[in-house]
Amino acid sequence: MMESKNKIKRLISIFIALSFTINNINAQIGIGLPNPTNPVEIKTDAGNIIIDNSGKIGTLAANPKVALDLRNNVNGSVAIGNTNKTAAQAGAGALRYVASPAIGVKGYLEFSDGSNWVSFFPKGKPRIIVMASKTTQDTYVFESATPSEIGIKSGIVQRRSSYLTNWTEKLDSDSGVPTSNFDPATGEFIAPRDGVYFATFTFALQSSQVNTGSNNQTEAIWEVRNPSGTITQRIKTNNGYSSDTGASPNAVPVGSACTVSVYLNKGDKLRPFTWITVAFDGTVSQFDTSGSGAYNSLTIVEQ
């Protein structure tokens, strides 16, 4: 009889213990709190982190209104990182932070629309702007039937392809932040990203007599090379002149300009050069550098 009573007592004890465990499983969880008022509540030095009955999380926010609420009027910032997932893999609504000083800012946010990452740029659409003028006579002959002529020159050599070198840089900016996409020493611009670029340059020579001859013309040419140095495009403007302007003082100003909108891949190189044949006296023509190079200018703007 005594043994039966002991068994009953043990069963009652087990039942009470199980009941206590079940009650604790269903009760609120408090960390650092004796009597939490939410299903989950964690006490910190700055305030409480909660999960309410609807599953919303409030970080130092007592009454979260959305799935994750950080609005505590004290320290409501949120930090996110980058991901190499595609927009489709991350899913519509995902956010990522892209650290990219290449576009003129320290970084920017992107969200996934389910197919593409869409960027939020803090200074509006990033835009490259380059402006320069030329006040020197420096050129570089890079194409000639006479190999010994290749190299640095002063002025434009007739009937030779010559890069315009040693520009005075006025601006080289990406979204308002100074960059080094343009090299004023060589006149070469390297695209920091894929896109359409509007580019124009002008040059003017000191006035002189155009002597009797055929095919008097000046050419302003934009050249595009890929990162390996292969020429992919050449776009030029050709200005013609009368075959004979007569003797002095019938000097005429001679020059040209070339304006293009060109698609560049990241790393492509854009560079201006000239080719002229105007039968001036002598074989080398000098730039008109008056007005601080106003007649010899270069502008590149990302579209």
Side-chain angles (χ1 to χ4, degrees), residues 33 38 40-44 47-51 57-61:
L33 293 168
N38 291 282
V40 177
E41 196 159 350
I42 302 170
K43 182 180 180 181
T44 73
N48 293 352
I49 300 170
I50 69 167
I51 300 177
I57 300 173
T59 300
L60 313 186

Side-chain angles (χ1 to χ4, degrees), residues 241-303:
Y241 294 88
S242 59
S243 61
D244 190 352
T245 61
S248 178
N250 294 326
V252 294
V254 171
S256 191
C258 186
T259 300
V260 299
S261 284
V262 60
Y263 184 87
L264 300 178
N265 294 304
K266 180 179 179 180
D268 282 351
K269 302 172 182 179
L270 181 66
R271 194 174 186 182
F273 76 91
T274 66
W275 188 94
I276 68 171
T277 172
V278 290
F280 276 180
D281 290 330
T283 59
V284 179
S285 299
Q286 299 294 303
F287 292 103
D288 181 351
T289 58
S290 61
S292 299
Y295 301 115
N296 310 292
S297 61
L298 174 152
T299 302
I300 301 170
V301 179
E302 183 182 13
Q303 300 300 287

Side-chain angles (χ1 to χ4, degrees), residues 55-228:
K56 297 183 181 69
I57 300 173
T59 300
L60 313 186
N63 297 295
K65 305 299 182 184
V66 294
L68 176 62
D69 201 330
L70 309 177
R71 292 169 291 187
N72 55 68
N73 298 322
V74 178
N75 188 9
S77 61
V78 59
I80 60 173
N82 203 344
T83 177
N84 57 10
K85 289 184 177 181
T86 66
Q89 290 171 335
L95 283 173
R96 70 178 183 180
Y97 174 76
V98 182
S100 179
I103 68 158
V105 294
K106 297 298 183 182
Y108 56 96
L109 291 176
E110 290 185 330
F111 76 90
S112 167
D113 64 4
S115 300
N116 300 289
W117 286 107
V118 181
S119 302
F120 292 104
F121 297 116
K123 297 183 180 180
K125 181 185 183 299
R127 182 160 294 166
I128 301 293
I129 299 178
V130 172
M131 298 178 69
S133 63
K134 184 165 174 55
T135 57
T136 71
Q137 299 295 335
D138 298 339
T139 61
Y140 185 89
V141 173
F142 66 97
E143 287 180 347
S144 173
T146 306
S148 62
E149 291 182 340
I150 303 297
I152 298 171
K153 306 296 178 184
S154 179
I156 300 179
V157 181
Q158 298 275 334
R159 304 181 69 83
R160 305 291 185 269
S161 295
S162 302
Y163 290 126
L164 280 62
T165 57
N166 286 332
W167 293 79
T168 299
E169 181 180 288
K170 300 296 182 65
L171 181 67
D172 185 356
S173 167
D174 189 343
S175 305
V177 178
T179 56
S180 56
N181 298 311
F182 177 70
D183 184 349
T186 63
E188 185 175 76
F189 169 80
I190 300 179
R193 54 184 171 268
D194 300 351
V196 177
Y197 294 82
F198 174 87
T200 183
F201 83 97
T202 65
F203 72 91
L205 304 178
Q206 295 175 10
S207 296
S208 185
Q209 291 78 41
V210 177
N211 296 326
T212 301
S214 60
N215 192 31
N216 288 312
Q217 64 185 24
T218 60
E219 297 179 358
I221 307 161
W222 280 108
E223 177 184 84
V224 180
R225 293 178 181 263
N226 63 22
S228 64

